[in-house]
Amino acid sequence: MTDDEWRTDDVDAVLRVLAQTALGVSPGGIAANIDSLLDETVGLADVEGALELLADRDMVETLEDTEYYRLTERGREYASVEFGEDAFGYID
């Protein structure tokens, strides 16, 4: 997989949703927010696949002993640069 091949519409959607908050969000919550905020439908399996790709790149982490995900510092920086003004805005 080349450097750009990991970036899919699903990965971008997950990044955009997680960029909204410092709180942990479950894969199901991410899927629901993608549907609501982006007016797109991404299945749970696709969200989980995107989270795996992002975790491999140290862009997301799970909250200890949970299935809730949040962006790492690297992930927040990446989302800020990639989406700029197109991001919804980070809530700290």
Side-chain angles (χ1 to χ4, degrees):
M1 186 176 292
T2 66
D3 286 342
D4 293 333
E5 287 180 355
W6 68 273
R7 286 266 322 258
T8 64
D9 290 343
D10 295 343
V11 169
D12 281 357
V14 169
L15 278 169
R16 287 176 185 272
V17 167
L18 288 177
Q20 299 309 299
T21 182
L23 301 174
V25 184
S26 70
I30 293 168
N33 279 287
I34 289 171
D35 186 48
S36 175
L37 296 171
L38 299 177
D39 199 27
E40 298 176 19
T41 301
V42 177
L44 186 56
D46 295 323
V47 169
E48 289 170 342
L51 288 167
E52 185 175 317
L53 287 169
L54 291 166
D56 288 346
R57 286 160 180 77
D58 192 33
M59 292 188 184
V60 297
E61 63 188 0
T62 57
L63 300 179
E64 190 172 324
D65 297 325
T66 71
E67 293 185 21
Y68 290 84
Y69 290 81
R70 66 177 172 199
L71 291 179
T72 61
E73 183 64 31
R74 181 176 183 204
R76 285 191 297 276
E77 289 172 7
Y78 185 85
S80 175
V81 168
E82 286 299 309
F83 304 126
E85 292 181 18
D86 291 333
F88 302 118
Y90 181 67
I91 303 167
D92 196 8

